[in-house]
Amino acid sequence: MSHLLAFDIPGGWGTTLGIKTLIVMGLIPVGALVLGYTFLLKMMSHMQSRVGPMDPGGFHGWFQLIGDGIKFIQKEDIIPAGADKRVFKMAPAIVVMSTFLMFVVLPAGPNAVVAGALHKGQGGIDVGIFYALAVSSLSVIGVLMAGWASSNKYALIGALRAAAQLIAYELPLVLAVVGVVVQAGTMNLQGIVFAQQQGKIFGWSGIGSPFILTQFVGFALFMVAAQAELTQPPFDMPVAESELVAGYMVEYTGFRFLFFFIGEFGTAFVYAGLAATLFLGGWSIPHVNGEIANWIGPIVLFVKIMLVAFLMFWARFSYPRLREDQLQALAWKWLIPISLINILVTGALKVAF
Amino acid sequence: MLLNQFLLLSAFLFGTGIYGVITRKHTVLVLASVELMLVAVNINMVAFGATLNNAVGQVFALFVLTIAAAEVGVGLAIVLLIYRNLRSANPDDASVLKG
Amino acid sequence: MLMNHFWFLDHAWLIPLIPAISYAVILLFGKRYGERAAWIGLASIGSAWVLALGTVVQWISHVNDSEGAEARGVVQSIGGMVRNIRLAAESKLHVEPIIHSTTWFQNNGFKLNVGIQIDGLAVMMLFVVTTISLLVHFYSTEYLKGDRRFNHYYAALSLFSASMLFLVVASSTLQLLAGWELVGLCSFMLIGHWWEEKPNSNAALKAFLTTRTGDIGLLTGVIMTFFVVQKYATMAGGKGTGSFDIMKVNEAAIGLGEHGGSKSLLFWCAAALLLAIMGKSGQFPLHTWLPDAMAGPTPVSALIHAATMVVAGVYLGARVYPIFYQGFHIAGGTINPMAAIGGATVIIGAGLAFVQNDIKKVLAYSTISQLGYMVMALGVGAWTAAIFHLFTHAFFKANLFLGAGSVSHSGANHSFDMKHDMGGLRKYMPKTFITFMIGTAALIGIPFTAGFFSKDEILAVAGENNFTFFKYLGLVGAVMTACYMTRCVYLTFFGEYRGGHADAHGAGHDVGHDVGHDTHAYVSDDHATPIHDDHAAHAAHDLHDAHDDHGHHGPHESNFPILAPLFFLSFMSIASGYLLSPMLKIEKFALWVEPHFGDDKHFNVFEPGVFKAIDPILAVAAGVVGMLLAYAFYWKKAYGENITERNGALRAGKNFLVNKYYLDVLYTDIIVGGVKGPIAQAAYWVNQNVIDNVLRYTGKGAAGAAQFVYKYIDQKGVDGVYNGSASGAGALGGLARKLQTGRVQLYAFTVLFGLGAIALLLVIFN
Amino acid sequence: MVAQNVAFWIFAAFMAAGAIRVVTTDNIVHAALWLVLVLAGGAAQFILLGQEFVAWVQVIVYIGAVIVLFLFGIMLTRAPMEAEEKLNNNLRWPGLAAALLFAGTLAWAFLDQWGSDKIKLTKPVRTKEIGDLVFRGYLVPFEVVGVLLLAALIGAVVMARKD
């Protein structure tokens, strides 16, 4: 049974690949739905005193999300007359694909890495976090394609805003991670987890060395930048309903819109997972090793993801939208210099100690 | 795998890039064709690096990538300037030097 | 022991760091604190001063410990702090410097080290720089009160001190270069402190650009030092790797010189570095920036002239002295570029000081002259004497400059014009007068002041090393020094007070002092560019004037922040001389500052001179002669008033000096002006009668010939050829023009196709 | 090795098709998107060669930044939905000649020189090796490239700003 949890599936590479693909394709929507249900529907309703999402199905509006899903799927798939059909159809798939690809390197236990077979024994691919950030940048292409192919001014403006925003915030995102990488001495996510689990703080190994304690600046930068990458409030100019009527998604209906929805919340899920892995120790609990770690790893990771996601959505539902120039100024004048200084200080301390 | 299959692929891409540089009527596409040529060069370097079993090829490819990024930045700025001055992105319209 | 013997020496890097931090703090937060920002600067330089004092004490005890053989055990037991103490031949002992360096980066076997190198020379400089800087900081609190950029002034002052200290403790020539450039930048900032007035910004630019000329030399020289090391390492066998470490550079220079390796490399290296010294230390002919630098606030002038900017050049010379010593064959006793430049500067600077009406300019030219002494001393192999003169000169020149500032600030309505705004001030400001007189005495070399000992030392060692010419050159310089300083003192402190009534002055200079600011003395002095309508600039000075309303109530004594540094410096102007005097059998200074250049056996130039009674007698005689001359000339008017106006020869001499040897106007004035008069008359006659006739007949003959040539050869033959080739070229060009389609992509095609064809050919024929 | 060869030819076919479309399509945005395919194929080839790091650098720099800049530039100036009249000029045949000449010469030289050299992959290159190489052996070029990037950044800003 623990074989299955560890993604160490018996059988040829074809079977393995198939099962792994299925696992990922199943997990991402589930994660997206969990986040959507817990935070978008329940948390927001409580915070903002909304009654609608609390109603369907009786207890706490449990049916709301399922109902939404059914509604999206049964709707007609409309493609605007002036649209570039192939590009229009491909765009949501690329956005979702980027999310799926990111998820692949996230470790959920000592052996449980989807992309673990590449270098067995190393646990995951060598450049893990770098890979994740690289494929996360693919979604920009999808967004631009969607915005351009819709043949709609709002969509195009939204896509351009999204592209400018995603490029601007990718820098602090990557640079914030560099601090962690420098401290852990590896880009392998599994290695980063182990570095935190087995690390020491001033010689005391009681709680390991979660990098949130040493890289708190990096954590703050990562959270802000991730928020912007997700185009969530307060950085949601690309999809701003009140100005652009949902931006690049304006022409999408039915299951294509559902794709974007899943992409959005799935990406939030993965970013929360990355933040949990990079800064909170991932699946690990200090001093818990061996077979048992394979069992509780996924649970621990899930709890940490929910913790981080709570922070994300808390910010999302609390702050008003920034202006476009404020958004760029924040990235270029504050986050990037701060993250560069963070790298400098981290490097100096790494050499010093 | 043969080294040559990578080299031939890169030669093909390079040729395509040359064709694009000479024939495209939009400056951005000329830049894109230059990128094709640079990718061809990168494939060459990485293939040789793999043949020699070291990381030097990768390092050079990284330098090429960096320079490509800088080239695109400056190139697009130039394109924007040309567009602003001539209201056209066709390199044929920028023919002040015509004798 | 809580703090080991070497704590201050090991942590000397703190000394430049503290003022550097203060710079950042003042710059970033200075506005918030207003004038209290001065105290940040003062506190930082004060703590740097304390640290420097600590290094002095520890270094001296270190040297003293190393002298006795029984103390060696203690020193060695300190372990890695000192590498090892070697006893050289004839029990002559050079204490090794304390070097702490770390590899900044390395590439292919070459390591770039950065760190600190602390030895007697560096410790001495640390002491001088921090002391003068501390006094200048303190002085400026009063002098610049109410200035419009008070904070920036203090920030720049801090950075100035920091960069000079950084240069001093540098352990590699590259660090030295960095400090050097920073010093240049800071002097630019400070000279142009009141940049709103055009002359000031011009002066700053001139200083910067002139020293930059020299900096080219430094950059070249530093690069060449790398190859000096490489060459030496290669000579020793094996793969030679270059280095920028000063210790290695010095060792290599000595080694190359002793073993006859590549003298020309050493020579050019020394020449390049000499160019750097010329630029920075105001040596002829690159000295012209230094007097213009008077445009800055007076405390800055004191700092520049006594402790930081100009001294950097001499320090460089002392730091990598083996390069000069070997490159210029100083041991040979023949004239070498370094001594020649220094000697020329002594005379030239002193000569110019005679004709200045601006007290600061007198002092500026005096500095040039004294720097000439130092460089000359280095050039004649008197290392210790040069450094000792640097040491004493720092104190008395700072004393004089700050005294001049005091005179101007409190006595002369912020003017520096001695002729028009000063005179008789000894009654009004007796304390300033006394300190100024002590400084003057030291500069002239009155017996038993600091300048007497140090200048005497230079002359004595020059004589010993068979540089007799330079010895007498130095004596002539001493006569001139005494002369112009007596004039300066006379004009400033004796006679009748001439300032105070603006309308009593001629129109030419009233621009200068009515403005109520010292920088304008610069304008009035040149008489070249009287600026009459800079009232906008005056408005900016109003703050100062408002505070300074006493300026209109006649001359009076300065108050404590100005006088305290003066007293201290006066004390040092006398006391600092007693560290080295062969006459009195004191050789402490030589013992404490002599550096270790890596090869004691072959390189030992640090012996103080041997005392011979004739030397001080000559020097004193020179001083007395100079003073008597000036006394007769200016004071008693033995030749009547205005002899320079009446006597043609003297007038010419004076004009020569007033125009600064015509260096600035060399071509226009000499060539155009010299030809006027009798020469021109005679030339005109010859021209009219002889040449014209010859020409006339030659011309007629030539015209005939020319007609023929024109008609037949030129028009038909030559023109035909040219016309033909021109039209041919035109036709060809018309063809070639077709190629210039202006289509970028066609060009790209041509290039790429051609490239492909060449590649194909290469493949085929390979 | 068979699997890798198969993968290579599949990727190579995609890349070739993409490259041809980049230089022939009449829609600018489509051309940029085809270029994405070529670049992604290049990254895939790098992974086949065991050179992971440069593959992902290619993805993050080229696809994530360069192509986005292209699309951005195209859309900022004008983003026509319909195909333009023609995006190729009348230099088609000279261009083809130059391209064939170049590609042919290169191919000939390659075949001549490395006729049957095989790539024997022993182990993938670890990122650590690249770091060591860049920061030790190639430190100076690295610094120079850094300065170049800064210069390009400033240059691009200066050129593109409206005054």
Side-chain angles (χ1 to χ4, degrees):
Chain A
M1 183 59 192
S2 96
H3 280 294
L4 270 180
L5 256 181
F7 300 137
D8 195 6
I9 301 141
W13 64 269
T15 326
T16 319
L17 189 65
I19 294 176
K20 280 180 175 179
T21 311
L22 282 179
I23 289 173
V24 174
M25 292 185 75
L27 274 179
I28 281 288
V30 166
L33 293 185
V34 167
L35 289 194
Y37 182 74
T38 321
F39 296 114
L40 179 65
L41 298 182
K42 296 293 146 298
M43 182 174 144
M44 184 174 78
S45 302
H46 280 292
M47 281 176 73
Q48 303 182 346
S49 304
R50 296 188 175 192
V51 286
M54 303 297 268
D55 188 47
F59 176 72
H60 260 255
W62 63 270
F63 190 70
Q64 173 74 40
L65 202 61
I66 302 168
D68 276 348
I70 293 170
K71 180 187 74 181
F72 280 133
I73 289 169
Q74 56 88 32
K75 267 189 176 175
E76 187 188 1
D77 178 26
I78 300 171
I79 298 175
D84 188 322
K85 288 199 178 49
R86 270 186 303 168
V87 178
F88 185 85
K89 282 181 191 166
M90 239 191 303
I94 286 180
V95 173
V96 175
M97 182 189 77
S98 138
T99 310
F100 281 11
L101 287 177
M102 275 170 86
F103 185 73
V104 159
V105 280
L106 204 60
N111 303 322
V113 193
V114 176
L118 219 68
H119 307 301
K120 254 212 169 127
Q122 309 285 346
I125 63 177
D126 188 33
V127 291
I129 180 64
F130 185 58
Y131 159 85
L133 296 174
V135 293
S136 84
S137 68
L138 288 182
S139 66
V140 193
I141 301 277
V143 169
L144 274 175
M145 282 162 73
W148 176 77
S150 297
S151 184
N152 178 317
K153 272 181 193 144
Y154 287 133
L156 187 63
I157 293 173
L160 286 179
R161 281 187 180 188
Q165 173 172 336
L166 295 191
I167 285 210
Y169 280 86
E170 195 161 308
L171 276 168
L173 190 74
V174 174
L175 294 177
V177 170
V178 169
V180 174
V181 171
V182 167
Q183 213 185 338
T186 175
M187 289 205 266
N188 186 332
L189 279 168
Q190 197 70 289
I192 291 173
V193 170
F194 282 128
Q196 294 178 78
Q197 188 193 20
Q198 284 145 19
K200 286 178 183 151
I201 298 175
F202 297 119
W204 180 59
S205 64
I207 55 166
S209 168
F211 287 149
I212 191 173
L213 296 179
T214 47
Q215 286 292 329
F216 52 90
V217 179
F219 180 69
L221 290 169
F222 187 90
M223 293 304 284
V224 174
Q227 198 79 352
E229 289 280 307
L230 294 168
T231 64
Q232 283 192 359
F235 305 107
D236 66 335
M237 287 70 94
V239 290
E241 285 97 342
S242 45
E243 316 166 15
L244 295 178
V245 285
Y248 58 87
M249 296 190 265
V250 66
E251 296 288 0
Y252 283 89
T253 56
F255 73 95
R256 295 193 198 279
F257 183 78
L258 189 62
F259 263 38
F260 276 122
F261 183 84
I262 289 176
E264 185 182 339
F265 281 84
T267 315
F269 188 73
V270 177
Y271 270 117
L274 282 179
T277 306
L278 290 173
F279 296 100
L280 297 176
W283 51 263
S284 73
I285 298 175
H287 308 299
V288 179
N289 286 310
E291 186 66 9
I292 184 80
N294 269 331
W295 287 101
I296 63 170
I299 300 162
V300 172
L301 181 66
F302 182 72
V303 170
K304 287 177 178 172
I305 286 177
M306 291 307 274
L307 214 62
V308 176
F310 169 71
L311 286 177
M312 283 180 173
F313 285 92
W314 189 13
R316 169 174 177 156
F317 299 135
S318 302
Y319 286 101
R321 188 179 303 141
L322 287 174
R323 222 168 48 220
E324 187 68 25
D325 60 318
Q326 289 171 333
L327 165 112
Q328 295 292 343
L330 179 67
W332 294 102
K333 290 187 190 158
W334 292 101
L335 297 186
I336 292 174
I338 290 174
S339 56
L340 288 175
I341 292 169
N342 183 39
I343 293 173
L344 200 70
V345 173
T346 308
L349 291 178
K350 173 95 176 172
V351 172
F353 296 107
Chain B
M1 283 184 293
L2 291 174
L3 172 59
N4 254 329
Q5 61 200 51
F6 290 95
L7 300 187
L8 291 180
L9 175 66
S10 94
F12 178 81
L13 290 180
F14 201 84
T16 322
I18 285 179
Y19 177 78
V21 166
I22 294 175
T23 56
R24 297 308 256 165
K25 254 163 71 174
H26 196 284
T27 322
V28 171
L29 290 180
V30 174
L31 275 179
S33 306
V34 173
E35 297 305 318
L36 273 183
M37 290 155 78
L38 287 172
V39 169
V41 171
N42 268 357
I43 291 177
N44 245 5
M45 285 185 180
V46 173
F48 279 120
T51 317
L52 300 170
N53 258 321
N54 62 24
V56 180
Q58 274 202 69
V59 171
F60 271 89
L62 288 180
F63 286 140
V64 171
L65 270 164
T66 321
I67 289 166
E71 173 242 316
V72 168
V74 178
L76 279 177
I78 293 172
V79 172
L80 224 62
L81 266 186
I82 292 177
Y83 185 78
R84 208 178 284 154
N85 286 327
L86 304 176
R87 303 314 296 174
S88 151
N90 189 346
D92 280 355
D93 292 343
S95 58
V96 188
L97 281 179
K98 185 173 166 62
Chain C
M1 235 183 302
L2 200 66
M3 214 183 263
N4 71 43
H5 264 101
F6 295 97
W7 192 89
F8 284 107
L9 297 175
D10 287 337
H11 294 76
W13 47 268
L14 282 170
I15 300 175
L17 185 65
I18 294 171
I21 292 172
S22 143
Y23 161 71
V25 169
I26 297 178
L27 205 63
L28 293 176
F29 306 110
K31 276 225 166 110
R32 197 168 299 169
Y33 301 115
E35 297 225 334
R36 278 169 298 166
W39 298 101
I40 302 172
L42 207 53
S44 78
I45 197 70
S47 35
W49 183 67
V50 170
L51 289 172
L53 268 190
T55 61
V56 170
V57 171
Q58 290 194 338
W59 179 260
I60 288 175
S61 73
H62 175 44
V63 173
N64 289 342
D65 282 355
S66 314
E67 261 190 305
E70 75 279 2
R72 285 183 67 204
V74 180
V75 174
Q76 279 178 342
S77 67
I78 305 288
M81 304 296 175
V82 194
R83 288 200 293 194
N84 64 331
I85 311 286
R86 266 195 295 154
L87 281 170
E90 79 260 4
S91 83
K92 185 66 197 132
L93 193 92
H94 295 310
V95 183
E96 293 229 353
I98 291 170
I99 298 178
H100 290 283
S101 66
T102 173
T103 303
W104 182 16
F105 66 78
Q106 51 185 358
N107 192 18
N108 219 357
F110 158 68
K111 282 184 183 167
L112 182 61
N113 296 323
V114 291
I116 55 169
Q117 173 174 359
I118 302 299
D119 56 6
L121 177 61
V123 166
M124 188 279 289
M125 286 297 293
L126 286 178
F127 175 69
V128 170
V129 174
T130 51
T131 307
I132 305 284
S133 183
L134 178 64
L135 295 174
V136 164
H137 272 76
F138 188 58
Y139 185 97
S140 302
T141 54
E142 170 66 25
Y143 193 86
L144 268 92
K145 194 176 272 179
D147 190 80
R148 56 199 127 140
R149 274 190 296 278
F150 191 78
N151 287 327
H152 284 188
Y153 173 79
Y154 266 91
L157 218 52
S158 283
L159 184 63
F160 203 2
S161 314
S163 36
M164 185 64 195
L165 292 166
F166 179 71
L167 185 150
V168 166
V169 299
S171 78
S172 81
T173 46
L174 275 185
Q175 269 171 286
L176 216 117
L177 178 68
W180 182 279
E181 301 291 357
L182 273 173
V183 169
L185 170 73
C186 293
S187 71
F188 171 74
M189 282 157 62
L190 285 167
I191 292 169
H193 182 66
W194 293 307
W195 44 261
E196 283 90 345
E197 285 99 25
K198 187 75 178 140
N200 294 351
S201 69
N202 278 351
L205 276 176
K206 185 171 179 183
F208 194 61
L209 295 178
T210 314
T211 51
R212 290 296 305 175
T213 313
D215 291 356
I216 296 166
L218 184 64
L219 189 58
T220 323
V222 163
I223 292 167
M224 282 162 90
T225 59
F226 179 84
F227 292 107
V228 167
V229 177
Q230 194 179 38
K231 192 112 188 166
Y232 184 58
T234 319
M235 215 169 72
K239 181 170 169 282
T241 314
S243 172
F244 288 112
D245 293 358
I246 288 174
M247 274 304 275
K248 285 194 180 154
V249 169
N250 283 335
E251 275 173 34
I254 296 169
L256 278 183
E258 290 308 323
H259 304 115
S262 191
K263 289 269 184 185
S264 69
L265 175 63
L266 275 179
F267 175 80
W268 288 112
C269 188
L273 291 175
L274 181 61
L275 179 65
I277 296 177
M278 281 158 62
K280 207 65 149 189
S281 289
Q283 299 297 300
F284 178 81
L286 294 182
H287 65 270
T288 50
W289 68 270
L290 224 159
D292 287 6
M294 293 300 108
T298 309
V300 171
S301 304
L303 194 59
I304 288 182
H305 286 244
T308 50
M309 178 83 176
V310 297
V311 174
V314 179
Y315 178 76
L316 170 75
R319 203 31 140 182
V320 293
Y321 191 56
I323 289 182
F324 297 103
Y325 195 79
Q326 305 289 8
F328 288 151
H329 304 288
I330 286 173
T334 51
I335 290 184
N336 60 60
M338 200 171 196
I341 298 259
T345 310
V346 169
I347 301 299
I348 283 166
L352 287 170
F354 274 102
V355 294
Q356 305 302 325
N357 291 336
D358 182 328
I359 185 168
K360 274 176 82 179
K361 289 215 168 183
V362 173
L363 297 176
Y365 282 113
S366 153
T367 304
I368 293 176
S369 170
Q370 298 300 313
L371 288 165
Y373 271 110
M374 296 174 207
V375 174
M376 184 178 89
L378 287 175
V380 300
W383 190 93
T384 309
I387 294 307
F388 188 49
H389 195 55
L390 190 162
F391 180 66
T392 58
H393 172 259
F395 295 113
F396 59 71
K397 190 47 68 64
N399 183 5
L400 288 172
F401 263 114
L402 295 183
S406 168
V407 166
S408 156
H409 187 74
S410 311
N413 246 339
H414 300 283
S415 162
F416 286 96
D417 194 327
M418 294 191 294
K419 277 247 172 93
H420 296 105
D421 297 319
M422 295 183 188
L425 285 173
R426 92 181 166 280
K427 283 170 291 195
Y428 298 104
M429 22 196 353
K431 291 169 186 164
T432 305
F433 169 66
I434 289 170
T435 58
F436 199 86
M437 285 311 286
I438 294 174
T440 308
L443 178 57
I444 294 176
I446 302 287
F448 307 110
T449 55
F452 167 70
F453 293 114
S454 59
K455 202 180 288 183
D456 201 32
E457 180 72 16
I458 294 179
L459 300 181
V461 181
E464 262 174 51
N465 292 354
N466 297 323
F467 286 96
T468 322
F469 172 70
F470 289 109
K471 179 177 174 182
Y472 289 107
L473 200 68
L475 279 174
V476 173
V479 174
M480 294 169 83
T481 308
C483 213
Y484 68 71
M485 278 316 289
T486 312
R487 169 180 176 266
C488 168
V489 168
Y490 166 71
L491 285 175
T492 310
F493 289 104
F494 294 89
E496 288 302 312
Y497 182 60
R498 296 181 289 275
H501 308 288
D503 46 6
H505 306 306
H509 81 280
D510 60 354
V511 184
H513 81 275
D514 281 352
V515 169
H517 220 294
D518 48 7
T519 56
H520 290 271
Y522 168 82
V523 180
S524 69
D525 181 62
D526 267 354
H527 294 290
T529 53
I531 301 170
H532 285 284
D533 56 350
D534 56 349
H535 291 288
H538 302 179
H541 286 292
D542 280 351
L543 255 182
H544 197 165
D545 288 340
H547 145 72
D548 214 48
D549 47 8
H550 59 246
H552 304 293
H553 300 313
H556 58 94
E557 186 56 273
S558 298
N559 46 10
F560 179 72
I562 288 185
L563 283 179
L566 289 180
F567 282 126
F568 180 78
L569 286 167
S570 300
F571 170 71
M572 289 304 287
S573 300
I574 296 175
S576 61
Y578 290 90
L579 288 173
L580 180 75
S581 166
M583 188 166 74
L584 305 174
K585 304 264 180 293
I586 305 173
E587 297 187 351
K588 285 291 179 206
F589 188 82
L591 182 71
W592 288 336
V593 304
E594 61 189 4
H596 179 91
F597 284 147
D599 188 347
D600 294 4
K601 246 184 290 186
H602 293 110
F603 197 77
N604 197 350
V605 293
F606 311 118
E607 285 294 317
V610 180
F611 173 65
K612 273 187 284 188
I614 186 73
D615 292 334
I617 291 174
L618 274 178
V620 172
V624 170
V625 166
M627 281 191 288
L628 283 177
L629 275 178
Y631 182 73
F633 193 82
Y634 294 108
W635 212 301
K636 284 291 157 196
K637 314 266 193 260
Y639 307 103
E641 286 283 350
N642 292 330
I643 182 149
T644 47
E645 303 300 320
R646 287 182 284 110
N647 182 307
L650 286 177
R651 187 169 63 231
K654 187 187 174 191
N655 282 339
F656 188 49
L657 292 174
V658 168
N659 288 300
K660 306 173 194 164
Y661 304 114
Y662 296 101
L663 271 180
D664 287 349
V665 285
L666 184 63
Y667 297 110
T668 51
D669 278 23
I670 287 183
I671 293 168
V672 177
V675 176
K676 284 180 194 162
I679 305 173
Q681 287 292 334
Y684 182 71
W685 185 86
V686 172
N687 191 5
Q688 287 296 315
N689 296 323
V690 182
I691 300 176
D692 272 16
N693 279 336
V694 171
L695 284 182
R696 192 169 297 136
Y697 295 116
T698 319
K700 280 191 172 161
Q707 282 293 335
F708 174 78
V709 172
Y710 174 75
K711 270 185 188 148
Y712 299 102
I713 300 178
D714 193 71
Q715 286 294 314
K716 300 252 162 70
V718 181
D719 274 15
V721 172
Y722 285 122
N723 286 338
S725 56
S727 53
L732 272 174
L735 283 176
R737 214 165 67 112
K738 294 236 159 54
L739 286 177
Q740 289 292 345
T741 54
R743 289 186 66 182
V744 188
Q745 287 167 315
L746 201 62
Y747 300 158
F749 163 71
T750 320
V751 170
L752 290 170
F753 194 85
L755 210 62
I758 293 170
L760 187 64
L761 287 178
L762 276 176
V763 172
I764 290 171
F765 292 112
N766 208 343
Chain D
M1 279 301 161
V2 177
Q4 285 173 14
N5 268 326
V6 171
F8 169 83
W9 286 115
I10 292 170
F11 292 142
F14 271 111
M15 287 171 79
I20 290 172
R21 291 303 288 156
V22 168
V23 296
T24 53
T25 179
D26 283 340
N27 188 321
I28 310 177
V29 176
H30 284 184
L33 294 177
W34 282 114
L35 187 59
V36 173
L37 187 69
V38 180
L39 297 169
Q45 304 284 23
F46 295 161
I47 288 177
L48 272 186
L49 288 167
Q51 319 268 331
E52 226 175 15
F53 187 72
V54 76
W56 300 119
V57 173
Q58 169 124 335
V59 170
I60 200 169
V61 172
Y62 263 131
I63 302 176
V66 170
I67 296 290
V68 173
L69 270 184
F70 276 162
L71 287 171
F72 211 76
I74 294 167
M75 291 178 191
L76 266 188
T77 49
R78 52 189 180 147
M81 287 300 301
E82 281 79 39
E84 303 244 325
E85 69 284 16
K86 267 289 168 235
L87 267 178
N88 282 15
N89 55 24
N90 57 0
L91 289 173
R92 196 167 309 151
W93 296 112
L96 197 61
L100 282 180
L101 179 67
F102 235 99
T105 311
L106 282 176
W108 183 10
F110 289 151
L111 287 172
D112 196 41
Q113 188 69 27
W114 292 284
S116 56
D117 282 19
K118 282 204 166 59
I119 298 178
K120 293 184 205 66
L121 290 177
T122 48
K123 57 176 178 17
V125 175
R126 315 297 296 183
T127 316
K128 192 175 178 307
E129 295 174 39
I130 300 165
D132 282 349
L133 217 53
V134 169
F135 289 105
R136 203 157 280 157
Y138 294 94
L139 180 65
V140 175
F142 176 76
E143 301 281 349
V144 171
V145 163
V147 175
L148 175 99
L149 270 182
L150 182 67
L153 175 76
I154 294 169
V157 169
V158 168
M159 275 195 286
R161 66 183 288 177
K162 278 186 191 142
D163 278 327

